[in-house]
Amino acid sequence: MTVTPKISIVDGNLVVQGQVILTGITDNVILTPGSGTGLVEGAFIGVNASESKSHHVFPIGVLEGLRFTCCFRFKLWWMTQRMGTCGRDVPLETQFMLLESKSGSSLSEDMDRGEEEQNIYIVFLPVLEGQFRAVLQGNERNELEVCIESGDSAVTTTQGLHSVYMHAGPDPFEVITDAVKAVERHLQTFHHREKKKMPSFLDWFGWCTWDAFYTDVTAEGVDEGLKSLSEGGTPPRFLIIDDGWQQIGSEVTDPKATVQEGAQFASRLTGIKENQKFQKHRRGCEITQDPPGLRHVVEEAKEHHNVKYVYVWHALAGYWGGVKPAAAGMEHYDSSLAYPVQCPGILGNQPDVVLDSLSVYGLGLVHPKKVYNFYNELHSYLASAGVDGVKVDVQNIIETLGDGHGGRVSITRQYHQALEASIVRNFPDNGCIACMCHNTDGLYSAKQTAVIRASDDFFPSDPASHTIHISSVAYNTLFLGEFMQPDWDMFHSLHPAAEYHGAARAVGGCAIYVSDKPGIHNFDLLKKLVLPDGSVLRAQLPGRPTRDCLFVDPARDGKSLLKIWNLNKFTGVLGIFNCQGAGWCKVEKKNRIHDSSPMTLSGSVRARDVDFLPQIAGDGWNGDTVIYAHRTGELVRLPKGAAVPVTLKVLEYELYTVTPVKDIACGISFAPIGLINMFNSGGAIDAFDIHSDSQNPELSGSQTVDVRMKVRGCGTFGAYSTHKPNKCSVNSCETEFTYDSESGLLTFAIPISKEEMYMWDVKIEI
């Protein structure tokens, strides 16, 4: 029996399941079919060279006429998205690319999922091989190129036999997941998100000190921030003490010297304990040091404000400028000055000027063989103070310091292995948030870290940043969400774009936390995200763009809205956003507003936009759904394939709860919605069962049906029913309800519980 490979090179063309993807394949390209479970749909692309070097760029073949979406590093720390149709559209530092090969006409609003599934989706993953890391890029001849580099002039090679992994199939989301899991089995250096322990803070509302105080954070400021949010009815149960708590020293000794952007890189860590601001605490007019320091701040947060989890910030290198060489008490870390070198791809995109200070002052690099001792001593001290985890920032700086250490992959892996070993030992809830870390050196080396910041910062004063933030996180999540749970960053609850950011986080499946200054809050908004006990209704998956958004550009094309989907246990959640007007500019090499007056845009939403909805619909589902719009309060029943129109201005949004309709008895249909006052209404439903007084669905007359649910939270509960209920009860107590026979919307009140994470027994008799 002859088995035809699904990915092959035929007559100089790269062919995937019978369709030509690349033409003009160069002679030095090697295709190695995947082997073993999970690799049968994939293959590795390799290349050979005549000269041994530490940095190679190889053309693979010509890419033309196929839509793609890619994630590339526009600067050292972060990725963003780019869409295109040919090789010249592929940016430098592309770490993920998804292509669409159409077997028929383009996807239209009238095409059903059966026709769409004739398309083939191909993912390209440039990976790590030994001491080398690969990325993709394009050239003006429309050739797709692979760049492999070690980051150490002494580490050279003539080949990369497994530089890029390809995987293909009819479902884009499954193809991405299957590809990453195939690479996981091949490399055995990282774990997929599904295998990782998620830290518990994700399900609780949080507050971060950064925007509230920046590096001027103090013990008193932490107390004020927690008190302010709690008094408004949205108590933080998760606290991040960001940059500003550590002992540091500046290397700028010349008073005339100016270090503008990147001034923090001129400072180095001088001790692992807290600085003097946290060595004392004021009670009224009295300053006390009993108990002293950080431990007192943590105890105050947990005992007086009922905070459950306290995290503190530190850089992967200790501080922005590393660890001061020979600092008193830190000599045993063997820190020495190192000078970063940014790779050619980053220099060709947006070189980071903040590293200019490091080219002058250097970075105090803890010796890789001593870095576990450094992390363990730092983390054990923090754990002894009651700290539950760390936000580890500035991670990608380590890739620039590989020369003399075996290269960027080698030094990054040593640092990540040491970090994760220390986390295991000191923070049993897997307490780590990875930040400024969008390089594959780290992603393919992370066996344990489960939470990753998914985009550049929330910038409250930059009007160009808000639409960029939402779109970048959504598309970066296509890739990052396979490794870790994406973190959408803090935001401000009182801000012109606050609802826009809050709605996005509700559909993102992420942690929800703000960085409000004490006393400056929008509690009406926060109460759409946070329950009175401080918990949140978090969706189950990383929020990703819908299928029909995968290859359009909702930030720059002037016509597309961005739709993001997610799942709860019994409902889907769908967010739609107008993100037009700004993006990263490859000419100016920075984020900029390219349309100061973006148009109002119209689009539509369908049940199929929630891609995995059939998985929660159950057997016998006919495709009908109800869709509840959060902002308008409109409930619509949609037959299979039907759509609801939506029109949005820039920085506007709408959130929809999408629920499969169940035919629960003869002529009776029902669909739970959830707490309709919350952004993610359906996240409140933890259990949903139907109990009938007859096993014969054809019976009519006196037949009654009980709908029973477990519901978490409080407020107005909504559901769809074709029939007015006989009665509704909460914890066996009958409650008043309203029923709109025209729309089928049933609503009643759920009270506030005194217990955390309490589940109400809800019963609806129809």
Side-chain angles (χ1 to χ4, degrees):
M1 177 179 175
T2 301
V3 178
T4 303
K6 296 189 176 182
I7 301 177
S8 59
I9 296 176
V10 180
D11 297 329
N13 299 319
L14 180 64
V15 179
V16 177
Q17 297 187 16
Q19 299 188 36
V20 174
I21 305 303
L22 302 178
T23 61
I25 301 298
T26 55
D27 293 339
N28 63 331
V29 170
I30 306 162
L31 193 68
T32 305
S35 60
T37 303
L39 293 171
V40 294
E41 306 291 330
F44 287 95
I45 298 174
V47 283
N48 277 320
S50 57
E51 183 180 358
S52 185
K53 297 191 297 183
S54 62
H55 180 272
H56 291 274
V57 176
F58 300 99
I60 301 173
V62 176
L63 172 62
E64 292 178 328
L66 296 179
R67 295 198 301 175
F68 72 80
T69 290
C70 69
C71 297
F72 72 102
R73 284 201 301 170
F74 67 99
K75 59 183 177 182
L76 179 63
W77 322 105
W78 306 112
M79 293 192 301
T80 193
Q81 77 278 6
R82 175 68 57 79
M83 292 75 180
T85 58
C86 60
R88 67 168 59 93
D89 296 333
V90 182
L92 299 169
E93 282 291 309
T94 292
Q95 301 186 126
F96 162 86
M97 185 161 67
L98 179 70
L99 291 90
E100 176 191 52
S101 181
K102 289 184 174 294
S103 56
S105 59
S106 60
L107 178 62
S108 70
E109 292 295 335
D110 297 323
M111 181 184 292
D112 65 28
R113 182 56 56 84
E115 290 175 289
E116 179 188 343
E117 287 177 348
Q118 296 175 8
N119 299 332
I120 297 172
Y121 299 92
I122 307 101
V123 65
F124 283 74
L125 297 178
V127 296
L128 310 181
E129 186 172 13
Q131 294 170 284
F132 285 80
R133 172 240 190 195
V135 288
L136 297 172
Q137 60 191 46
N139 64 31
E140 289 303 311
R141 298 182 298 277
N142 278 338
E143 291 175 317
L144 183 64
E145 299 176 331
V146 58
C147 168
I148 64 172
E149 58 190 336
S150 70
D152 188 334
S153 56
V155 178
T156 64
T157 189
T158 59
Q159 62 183 11
L161 298 180
H162 299 85
S163 297
V164 181
Y165 180 68
M166 294 177 58
H167 204 90
D171 184 298
F173 302 110
E174 290 182 0
V175 163
I176 296 169
T177 297
D178 291 346
V180 172
K181 289 182 176 180
V183 173
E184 176 190 17
R185 285 185 286 270
H186 172 73
L187 291 179
Q188 299 185 26
T189 58
F190 74 100
H191 287 317
H192 189 272
R193 170 182 51 83
E194 294 172 357
K195 293 183 179 179
K196 295 179 177 180
K197 173 181 172 57
M198 290 294 148
S200 303
F201 79 84
L202 289 171
D203 294 313
W204 299 90
F205 175 55
W207 178 63
C208 177
T209 63
W210 180 242
D211 283 339
F213 298 109
Y214 297 109
T215 55
D216 294 327
V217 60
T218 62
E220 292 84 359
V222 170
D223 185 69
E224 291 170 10
L226 295 173
K227 180 180 179 182
S228 181
L229 284 164
S230 295
E231 288 178 344
T234 56
R237 299 295 186 235
F238 165 51
L239 166 66
I240 300 177
I241 302 174
D242 215 292
D243 187 8
W245 69 272
Q246 293 172 290
Q247 298 177 25
I248 60 172
S250 175
E251 299 307 307
V252 181
T253 56
D254 182 357
K256 297 181 180 180
T258 57
V259 181
Q260 297 172 351
E261 276 194 279
Q264 67 271 36
F265 283 97
S267 296
R268 300 187 189 128
L269 195 67
T270 58
I272 63 171
K273 296 185 178 182
E274 65 274 25
N275 58 38
Q276 289 186 349
K277 292 183 297 178
F278 286 83
Q279 293 285 339
K280 58 187 179 182
H281 187 71
R282 183 178 297 277
R283 288 184 182 275
C285 298
E286 184 178 341
I287 293 178
T288 179
Q289 289 185 293
D290 183 28
L294 186 63
R295 182 162 62 94
H296 175 79
V297 177
V298 175
E299 287 179 356
E300 285 276 302
K302 292 185 175 182
E303 293 176 7
H304 294 158
H305 300 291
N306 296 316
V307 170
K308 295 178 177 294
Y309 308 100
V310 177
Y311 280 42
V312 301
W313 178 99
H314 72 77
L316 189 61
Y319 199 68
W320 298 90
V323 173
K324 183 178 179 65
M330 303 178 77
E331 300 90 345
H332 57 296
Y333 301 141
D334 287 352
S335 174
S336 60
L337 292 183
Y339 296 86
V341 177
Q342 297 181 73
C343 67
I346 294 297
L347 293 174
N349 283 338
Q350 183 177 329
D352 205 326
V353 296
V354 303
L355 295 189
D356 289 350
S357 63
L358 290 181
S359 67
V360 176
Y361 299 105
L363 180 142
L365 182 69
V366 172
H367 195 284
K369 294 187 182 300
K370 300 295 181 68
V371 73
Y372 170 74
N373 292 337
F374 169 65
Y375 290 143
N376 184 52
E377 290 173 21
L378 170 62
H379 294 162
S380 62
Y381 174 73
L382 293 174
S384 72
V387 170
D388 302 285
V390 284
K391 172 184 173 182
V392 185
D393 211 348
V394 207
Q395 294 200 10
N396 284 3
I397 193 65
I398 299 300
E399 76 170 53
T400 70
L401 304 168
D403 204 19
H405 294 284
R408 55 184 293 165
V409 174
S410 295
I411 191 171
T412 297
R413 186 160 293 158
Q414 288 180 81
Y415 263 69
H416 276 273
Q417 288 174 345
L419 175 69
E420 293 193 335
S422 178
I423 297 294
V424 167
R425 180 169 182 175
N426 295 289
F427 304 125
D429 195 39
N430 198 20
C432 183
I433 303 170
C435 193
M436 298 176 73
C437 56
H438 289 186
N439 66 3
T440 48
D441 314 55
L443 291 173
Y444 290 124
S445 299
K447 288 192 171 183
Q448 178 183 312
T449 307
V451 180
I452 183 170
R453 264 281 304 283
S455 81
D456 207 343
D457 292 6
F458 167 79
F459 293 111
S461 302
D462 181 2
S465 70
H466 303 296
T467 54
I468 292 172
H469 188 98
I470 303 308
S471 60
S472 291
V473 174
Y475 286 95
N476 286 346
T477 295
L478 288 170
F479 183 46
L480 296 177
E482 300 298 329
F483 298 85
M484 305 178 202
Q485 179 62 50
D487 180 322
W488 286 60
D489 197 16
M490 66 195 91
F491 69 105
H492 293 183
S493 70
L494 190 61
H495 185 276
E499 284 216 14
Y500 190 74
H501 280 280
R505 284 151 181 79
V507 76
C510 57
I512 295 174
Y513 58 107
V514 295
S515 192
D516 294 351
K517 292 181 183 296
I520 303 178
H521 315 288
N522 180 347
F523 287 110
D524 289 339
L525 168 61
L526 289 176
K527 289 176 182 179
K528 297 178 182 181
L529 292 161
V530 186
L531 295 171
D533 64 359
S535 66
V536 298
L537 302 178
R538 188 167 67 89
Q540 293 184 315
L541 302 172
R544 289 164 286 183
T546 58
R547 281 199 195 205
D548 57 351
C549 288
L550 287 176
F551 302 102
V552 300
D553 189 347
R556 282 173 283 254
D557 69 9
K559 60 183 181 181
S560 301
L561 294 170
L562 171 63
K563 292 185 285 186
I564 303 171
W565 67 275
N566 212 321
L567 283 183
N568 300 303
K569 283 188 176 181
F570 301 100
T571 69
V573 57
L574 182 66
I576 184 164
F577 304 85
N578 188 332
C579 298
Q580 294 288 343
W584 188 80
C585 176
K586 64 181 180 181
V587 176
E588 297 185 25
K589 299 186 182 301
K590 65 178 183 180
N591 285 328
R592 61 178 290 268
I593 295 175
H594 56 262
D595 183 353
S596 59
S597 301
M599 294 175 58
T600 298
L601 299 177
S602 295
S604 62
V605 295
R606 289 170 161 78
R608 75 175 190 189
D609 289 332
V610 181
D611 211 83
F612 292 175
L613 196 64
Q615 296 180 10
I616 64 171
D619 297 335
W621 180 48
N622 67 3
D624 286 5
T625 56
V626 293
I627 292 186
Y628 179 81
H630 177 85
R631 291 179 67 195
T632 66
E634 184 180 13
L635 177 67
V636 178
R637 178 166 178 166
L638 288 181
K640 181 179 180 180
V644 171
V646 59
T647 298
L648 299 173
K649 298 177 182 178
V650 70
L651 286 173
E652 285 189 341
Y653 74 94
E654 181 59 279
L655 284 174
Y656 297 91
T657 298
V658 184
T659 309
V661 173
K662 283 187 176 291
D663 295 325
I664 59 176
C666 183
I668 303 176
S669 298
F670 185 89
I673 299 168
L675 293 174
I676 60 176
N677 49 295
M678 304 296 289
F679 273 150
N680 182 22
S681 304
I685 305 169
D686 191 68
F688 170 44
D689 292 301
I690 307 296
H691 297 263
S692 174
D693 66 0
S694 172
Q695 300 301 312
N696 187 349
E698 300 301 320
L699 289 179
S700 57
S702 61
Q703 182 187 13
T704 61
V705 177
D706 288 344
V707 177
R708 300 176 187 177
M709 291 175 281
K710 293 281 190 180
V711 177
R712 181 166 66 88
C714 59
T716 302
F717 187 89
Y720 166 81
S721 177
T722 53
H723 288 57
K724 182 178 179 179
N726 297 324
K727 65 178 180 179
C728 300
S729 62
V730 177
N731 278 15
S732 300
C733 296
E734 188 170 346
T735 186
E736 294 183 356
F737 65 87
T738 61
Y739 179 73
D740 182 345
S741 59
E742 184 174 345
S743 67
L745 179 62
L746 162 70
T747 59
F748 53 88
I750 304 266
I752 297 175
S753 171
K754 295 181 180 180
E755 298 180 34
E756 288 183 349
M757 292 284 189
Y758 184 77
M759 296 290 177
W760 296 94
D761 290 313
V762 172
K763 181 179 177 181
I764 301 169
E765 182 184 298
I766 304 173

